[in-house]
Amino acid sequence: MISATYTWAQFIPEFTLVGLATVILMADCFLPKIPKSFYAIFGAVGAIATAFCMGGDAELSRFRVLAVIATALAVLLAYDYRKVTREAISGSESEEGTSELYALPLIACAGICALTQAKDIIMLFVSLEVVTLSSYVLAGYFRRNQGSIEAGVKYLILGAMSTGLLVFGAAWYYGMSGTFMLDSSVVYKVLYHADYSLRIGFMMSMALLLAGAFFKTGTAPMHIWIPDVYQGAPTPVSAFLAVASKTAGFAVLCMLLAPFVGNQLVSIVECFVILTAITLIIGNLGAIGQTNAKRLLGYSSIAQAGFIMVFLINDVGEAAQAQVANYLTAYLLATMAAFYAIAMVRTQRGHEEISAFRALGKTNPVLAFLITVCFASLAGVPLTYGFIVKFDSFCALINAYGIAELNCWFTTLLFIMILGATVGFYYYFKVIREMYWEKQQPEDKPLNVPMVTAGVMTACVILIVALGTWPLLTGNL
């Protein structure tokens, strides 16, 4: 069989998401009196409802749910961000031209959900391109903002390169195996029963496919686009790319590596150890000197990808996929709340520099506490969910020491992980220091916290603390 077969019924959630986006676009055309901000509420509620209809493979289904929740929160963030959106698009109070910001994430999310059900490279590629093409438009959505235009162009150019790698890898995969199916029997047949030239060609195809997936996860050397795009794109789009798009990337990685269960090669482990180490070094060292909060979260995203990659070094089965999903859940809760805080500060204090958080501990003590918990979770402070998943990452690497000839490699990576986690405390706590230790200036007025932002941030912090303390209370750490 060259490719897999699918049923219409299994894509009902994806059709629902596209249907929601279509309703928003049609209503924008034919019902102009409806406030555009209503579409954000409509899209977010519809997406959350769709999340309860997800089925399929247990762990990959969890990736789908995470992507849908992240998309819903990103669309909801656009509701509180609409003042900046109006200024960036029309330069006035008019909401014309803003409805696509609520519809396109839903279409991209449909692509993410579809790719988690892919059984062959054709479906994988088509679904991933739905995500990528929508993201191109979203990144450059603020046409009156030079930073957004620059982000869109950079994302387009580098994204086109990753697409080329995927297409080239798919062609090589078919040429070496005679099928587009992602199946362990195909891997076993080529690696152990084909001649040397086919084995080399097959590994080349996998390298190209994985490089395309690394673009989405933010793994080195495909990480270059992240800081610039996160900084220049609208904040709701940055939040979507940081969580939903990264979730899609790791879903693709798990699917590409799953056929190697039982066929794992030392050469693949070596490559993953090297890439993970480079990703951790670039992400953590790059974040140290950042003064822009969104750019800081961009480098943070690269560093977090390094910690997630550890789970896939020596095990790509269901247990590893579950650990990746757990880490992404913690990352979603903390990162989404952080972007909500950045959007609120940008709306009311006019910029996204870390200095915009100055003296929030005095002007908005409750808000400052919520932000503190979010960044503490990203850093891996105990009693937060971020600590639990980062601890699991260290345990996963220690458990991989069974490959005796790579013990030196694992020891080096473990040292880099410890160093990266330590450095993370410094740059994450830059925001916390700004809120509590910097002197309040006359222009530092208390922030008016919108209801949506307050609700989302409170819910995220409650889950961060609850999921972070539960394993300690039950003794299941």
Side-chain angles (χ1 to χ4, degrees):
M1 182 182 293
I2 294 178
S3 60
T5 56
Y6 303 91
T7 63
W8 290 103
Q10 74 185 88
F11 292 107
I12 289 177
E14 289 79 359
F15 291 139
T16 302
L17 290 168
V18 174
L20 289 171
T22 303
V23 169
I24 290 174
L25 295 176
M26 291 298 100
D28 183 46
C29 291
F30 298 107
L31 300 172
K33 293 185 179 180
I34 295 180
K36 303 296 186 290
S37 55
F38 169 77
Y39 300 141
I41 306 295
F42 173 77
V45 172
I48 291 293
T50 305
F52 291 100
C53 305
M54 297 295 178
D57 180 85
E59 295 307 329
L60 290 178
S61 177
R62 186 171 172 183
F63 284 115
R64 299 170 77 197
V65 172
L66 287 174
V68 173
I69 293 174
T71 303
L73 292 178
V75 172
L76 203 57
L77 175 56
Y79 176 83
D80 280 348
Y81 200 66
R82 60 192 186 277
K83 176 184 176 182
V84 179
T85 302
R86 290 194 301 263
E87 293 174 353
I89 292 179
S90 63
S92 65
E93 290 297 314
S94 173
E95 289 187 320
E96 291 302 320
T98 63
S99 59
E100 291 86 353
L101 188 61
Y102 313 126
L104 286 173
L106 298 174
I107 296 175
C109 185
I112 297 174
C113 294
L115 72 83
T116 61
Q117 300 195 78
K119 301 174 185 176
D120 58 75
I121 295 178
I122 295 176
M123 175 61 75
L124 193 69
F125 172 74
V126 172
S127 303
L128 202 56
E129 283 308 289
V130 172
V131 183
T132 303
L133 292 174
S134 302
S135 300
Y136 292 159
V137 180
L138 287 168
Y141 195 77
F142 285 175
R143 56 181 178 267
R144 295 169 60 92
N145 185 300
Q146 185 177 352
S148 180
I149 295 174
E150 180 181 349
V153 172
K154 287 183 177 179
Y155 194 37
L156 173 63
I157 294 172
L158 296 174
M161 182 184 70
S162 75
T163 298
L165 292 174
L166 278 171
V167 173
F168 199 32
W172 273 67
Y173 186 94
Y174 178 77
M176 299 301 107
S177 64
T179 181
F180 286 109
M181 293 288 292
L182 292 168
D183 191 83
S184 58
S185 62
V186 175
V187 173
Y188 181 81
K189 179 180 177 181
V190 175
L191 292 183
Y192 297 103
H193 295 285
D195 58 36
Y196 181 76
S197 61
L198 285 179
R199 292 200 299 272
I200 294 299
F202 184 77
M203 295 307 295
M204 176 64 73
S205 73
M206 292 304 301
L208 292 169
L209 290 170
L210 290 172
F214 290 156
F215 179 81
K216 288 295 182 186
T217 61
T219 303
M222 307 297 290
H223 66 281
I224 300 174
W225 63 277
I226 288 182
D228 291 335
V229 173
Y230 281 23
Q231 181 180 1
T235 301
V237 177
S238 301
F240 173 83
L241 294 175
V243 182
S245 184
K246 186 176 290 290
T247 300
F250 278 105
V252 172
L253 267 186
C254 290
M255 295 169 67
L256 290 175
L257 294 173
F260 285 87
V261 173
N263 300 315
Q264 190 73 301
L265 302 177
V266 173
S267 59
I268 295 179
V269 178
E270 289 176 348
C271 291
F272 266 66
V273 168
I274 294 172
L275 293 177
T276 301
I278 295 173
T279 302
L280 286 167
I281 292 171
I282 291 174
N284 285 292
L285 295 185
I288 291 176
Q290 301 306 315
T291 59
N292 182 279
K294 287 169 67 177
R295 197 173 182 86
L296 174 68
L297 288 181
Y299 279 104
S300 161
S301 174
I302 299 170
Q304 300 290 350
F307 284 105
I308 300 175
M309 286 281 290
V310 173
F311 295 120
L312 303 176
I313 285 178
N314 195 40
D315 179 17
V316 288
E318 292 185 1
Q321 293 181 23
Q323 289 175 315
V324 171
N326 287 337
Y327 202 110
L328 287 170
T329 302
Y331 177 72
L332 180 153
L333 294 172
T335 303
M336 272 296 174
F339 273 111
Y340 267 82
I342 292 172
M344 177 175 52
V345 168
R346 166 65 180 86
T347 301
Q348 299 183 44
R349 292 192 172 177
H351 60 95
E352 296 157 344
E353 298 298 306
I354 295 176
S355 59
F357 290 83
R358 185 176 54 222
L360 283 182
K362 299 180 179 67
T363 61
N364 298 80
V366 176
L367 174 63
F369 171 76
L370 297 178
I371 297 173
T372 298
V373 174
C374 295
F375 280 93
S377 182
L378 288 171
V381 174
L383 302 183
T384 66
Y385 196 24
F387 168 76
I388 300 297
V389 295
K390 197 160 286 188
F391 180 79
D392 288 342
S393 181
F394 281 93
C395 291
L397 181 64
I398 294 172
N399 292 335
Y401 268 81
I403 305 179
E405 61 267 34
L406 293 180
N407 280 355
C408 180
W409 295 61
F410 290 144
T411 302
T412 303
L413 179 57
L414 181 60
F415 174 76
I416 293 173
M417 289 175 66
I418 294 172
L419 184 63
T422 305
V423 171
F425 277 86
Y426 170 76
Y427 61 78
Y428 286 124
F429 276 67
K430 287 167 67 175
V431 178
I432 299 174
R433 184 180 67 236
E434 197 73 33
M435 292 190 297
Y436 290 103
W437 279 275
E438 291 299 321
K439 186 177 181 181
Q440 183 178 359
Q441 301 298 322
E443 63 270 20
D444 297 332
K445 305 299 182 184
L447 297 182
N448 178 27
V449 184
M451 184 182 301
V452 171
T453 295
V456 170
M457 292 188 66
T458 301
C460 287
V461 167
I462 290 174
L463 288 172
I464 287 171
V465 175
L467 294 173
T469 55
W470 181 254
L472 299 175
L473 296 175
T474 57
N476 293 325
L477 182 62

